[in-house]
Structures are given as structure tokens and as C-alpha cells.
Amino acid sequence: MDQDPSYFETDPALDRIRTSIPEGKPDWTENIAWTMHDPKTNVSIFGHLGRLQPNRRIWEGLSLLYLPDGSAYANRSLGVSLSEARNGHYHYQPLIPGKLWRLTFDGAAQRAEPADLRQRAIGDEVLEEMAYDLLFEAIEPVFNMHKSSLPSERMHLEHAGRMRGVVKIGQEAFDIDCTGYRDHSVSQRTFTTLDSETWAHAAFPSGRVFSLLEVTRGDRRILEGHIRRDATMHVAHPLEIPTLADLAGNPASGVISLECGGGRIDIPWEIITASYVPFQLLRPVGMRAGVDHADKTSCVVLECPAKFLWDGEIGYGWLERTRPLSGLTL
């Protein structure tokens, strides 16, 4: 099971952006995410493009940029496209399916003060010019989480790679060359029924990769994961998963445990910068920086670059934790 090739031998056409919207499926949507942390520049990015509902031609673009001085900038923008993952500021281009992508943003972002945005939604924050142009080159086969084929109604692909390019904010520019990660999903999706979610992943200098995903909806719980070691891909089962106690990102360290091939892999982790910008999930789909405490039934997500340790080797990646606002303290 742990080396089932149907998880890793994926038709590249499956990873193309959809060019039509299925009829009779009002919750159908398509989402793309990318993350990176460059330990040389100490620049981190979370990016996302997702089709909104009910009009799935509208793409919501999100960027969260963490800078080496501890400052953070957030962007949310909307635009229309049917056949491409793009809006007026974002463009996600599969250049060579299964191997190479280009991720671009050119616009403006608001200065995000984490302590303030734990207590309110983002408002008229200071704006700054922001842009990035990044190439993502795969370093492993695609992890086809649901063993999807072209006719499948749901799909979730994940992929570790090398991220190279330039990030600009105001008058500063940073040359990027680091590991990164991306996912691409198509499904009938709504945040209305989501209870919690945890997503973690990292790539290591030796070529090792791990990922885990946990999603809970009522009495349903999804637990998925994979590893790559010794140039071989394996399915992994998450055993120990990061928790979240407050809007500041605590606990700030812990251990991720995965079962693979009858053995246990323990990976200590710690989040990298001092504080994190919270995002509130919108209904039926969408995200906005900051927290509106008037709606205690909503979920909040923290996007955190993280450092991981696997058998003494340091790797960099991401930790995303989504929890009900009612269970989190400031």
C-alpha cells in the first residue's frame, strides 16, 4: 500500500486548469496554493487562487508575505477568467504539466499587524507596491491524494519543488532560491461544514519530502500524507498532528509523527517568525485577513512558515492550521 503507484503515476492532463464549469454542481470549485520559505533571505510567501461561489468564473487571489524584519503584508483581490487561473493581479501558469509552473503577482498589499488583526478584520491599512515572479520546478512526482483520474469528481494533487525568482515590496527586491510546495484541487467544496483542518509539508536538501493533511467535517475525518525518501515515494498515515490554542500561533513547536511501511517517523517542527497573521474563512468559500469576533461560528486559519527536523536534517516548509474561532484565545 505505501508504494501504491496509483498515488504517484499521474496523467499530467489532470493537473491542467479546468476550462469549463460543470452544470448542476453549485459547490464545485477549483483551488491552487503555493508556499515557500527562503532561509537565506528569510522571506516567506503563502499564495492562493480559488474560484468563488456562486460565480465560479471569479477567482479570489490571496498573498501573505513575511519579511526578514518581521513585517507582514497581505493582499486579497478578485478577477474573472474561465479558462485560466488568473485575475487582474495573479497568474498561475502550468508551463510543462507535471514539471514546471510560473506564479506571478503584480499589485499592492496592505501592511498586516498580527496583534491588531487578531481582534478585527483588515481595514484601511497602509498600502505598499508588491510583486513576485516565481518559477516552481518539481523535485518529486505528483502526490495524487485521491488516486484521481480525468473523470473523477474530486482531485487533490500535491507537489514539492524548487522555487526561484524575485519578490519585490516597495523599493526592496529579494532574489529567491529555495524549496517550495504547491497543491491543486478540484471538488465540491464549502467552508460552511468545515470543522478543522491541518496541512503541513516540507522539502529537505537531500530530496526528502513529507506532507500531511487532516480535515474534519462532523463525524468525518480525512487523514492523508506522503513521504519521499531515497528517491522513492510512499503513502504515509499521520499519527501525531499539530494543535492550535490561540490566534498568536501557539503552540509554536511540536512533533509530527507519520506511519509508513510499518515504521514510525517523528519530525520535530517549529514555526519561524514571531507572530502570524490570522485569516478568517468566508462562506461558502473565500478568506480575509483579520478576525471578526462577532461571528463565533466561523473558522480561522493561521499560515506559518516552519522549520522541520528529520533524522538530523533541517528542511523548510509550511504549517496551516484551521480551527473554530470559538475554541481559540487571543
Side-chain angles (χ1 to χ4, degrees), residues 9 71 97 105 127 133 157 169-170 256 273 302-303 323:
E9 296 176 2
S71 61
F105 168 78
L127 286 165
D133 191 339
L157 308 179
I169 182 76
I256 285 169
T273 56
L302 263 69
E303 299 289 351
R323 300 292 187 274

Side-chain angles (χ1 to χ4, degrees), residues 32 76 225:
I32 298 128
R76 179 177 187 257

Side-chain angles (χ1 to χ4, degrees), residues 4 42 51 55 57 71 79 89 97 100-101 103 113 126 183 189 214 254 258 279 285 309 328:
D4 184 341
N42 209 27
R51 295 184 187 267
N55 186 349
R57 294 171 180 266
S71 61
H89 300 289
L100 190 68
W101 290 259
L103 319 168
E113 296 290 351
V126 174
D183 83 348
R189 178 184 188 186
E214 177 203 33
L258 305 166
F279 282 77
V285 290
L309 187 67
L328 300 175

Side-chain angles (χ1 to χ4, degrees), residues 92-307:
Y92 174 93
Q93 298 170 273
L95 302 179
I96 304 175
K99 295 183 179 180
L100 190 68
W101 290 259
R102 186 181 183 190
L103 319 168
T104 58
F105 168 78
D106 190 358
Q110 294 175 281
R111 178 71 179 259
E113 296 290 351
D116 291 344
L117 296 182
R118 291 175 208 150
Q119 304 185 61
R120 61 172 176 80
I122 199 164
D124 295 327
E125 323 297 323
V126 174
L127 286 165
E128 187 63 84
E129 295 178 26
M130 188 173 100
Y132 55 81
D133 191 339
L134 301 168
L135 280 177
F136 177 99
E137 184 174 8
I139 60 172
E140 65 169 352
V142 170
F143 173 43
N144 185 348
M145 186 178 293
H146 303 311
K147 299 195 287 187
S148 304
S149 60
L150 283 172
S152 297
E153 293 215 350
R154 70 169 183 161
M155 177 201 82
H156 188 128
L157 308 179
E158 295 199 1
H159 217 177
R162 187 81 172 269
M163 200 83 84
R164 297 182 179 91
V166 177
V167 175
K168 297 179 180 178
I169 182 76
Q171 301 302 308
E172 287 190 279
F174 300 91
D175 292 323
I176 301 300
D177 187 352
C178 61
T179 57
Y181 205 81
R182 70 172 192 99
D183 83 348
H184 180 195
S185 62
V186 175
S187 65
Q188 297 201 55
R189 178 184 188 186
T190 174
F191 291 149
T192 305
T193 59
L194 181 67
D195 292 324
S196 69
E197 178 259 7
T198 306
W199 186 41
H201 50 262
F204 295 75
S206 65
R208 287 179 176 182
V209 176
F210 89 88
S211 74
L212 74 80
L213 177 68
E214 177 203 33
V215 181
T216 61
R217 296 178 185 271
D219 59 358
R220 293 186 58 207
R221 189 184 191 207
I222 295 171
L223 277 172
E224 306 284 357
H226 89 284
I227 68 165
R228 180 179 187 262
R229 61 183 173 189
D230 301 324
T232 305
M233 302 281 285
H234 303 265
V235 178
H237 182 73
L239 300 173
E240 189 170 342
I241 294 160
T243 59
L244 182 64
D246 59 38
L247 293 172
N250 293 302
S253 62
V255 177
I256 285 169
S257 297
L258 305 166
E259 187 276 327
C260 183
R264 182 183 178 108
I265 301 168
D266 292 323
I267 303 175
W269 60 269
E270 61 180 86
I271 53 180
I272 290 172
T273 56
S275 59
Y276 294 91
V277 177
F279 282 77
Q280 195 152 23
L281 298 189
L282 307 177
R283 298 187 180 100
V285 290
M287 291 170 61
R288 179 190 59 215
V291 179
D292 177 5
H293 287 266
D295 185 2
K296 296 294 185 183
T297 67
S298 65
C299 283
V300 174
V301 55
L302 263 69
E303 299 289 351
C304 306
K307 180 169 70 173

Side-chain angles (χ1 to χ4, degrees), residues 12-47:
L14 189 66
D15 207 1
R16 293 187 183 276
I17 304 303
R18 302 305 186 259
T19 59
S20 62
I21 297 167
E23 296 182 3
K25 296 179 180 178
D27 293 338
W28 179 91
T29 188
E30 182 173 16
N31 292 273
I32 298 128
W34 54 95
T35 68
M36 52 141 280
H37 172 76
D38 186 340
K40 295 182 293 297
T41 61
N42 209 27
V43 169
S44 308
I45 289 178
F46 167 79

Side-chain angles (χ1 to χ4, degrees), residues 82-97:
L82 175 62
S83 59
E84 292 185 277
R86 71 180 305 164
N87 61 28
H89 300 289
Y90 292 84
H91 197 186
Y92 174 93
Q93 298 170 273
L95 302 179
I96 304 175

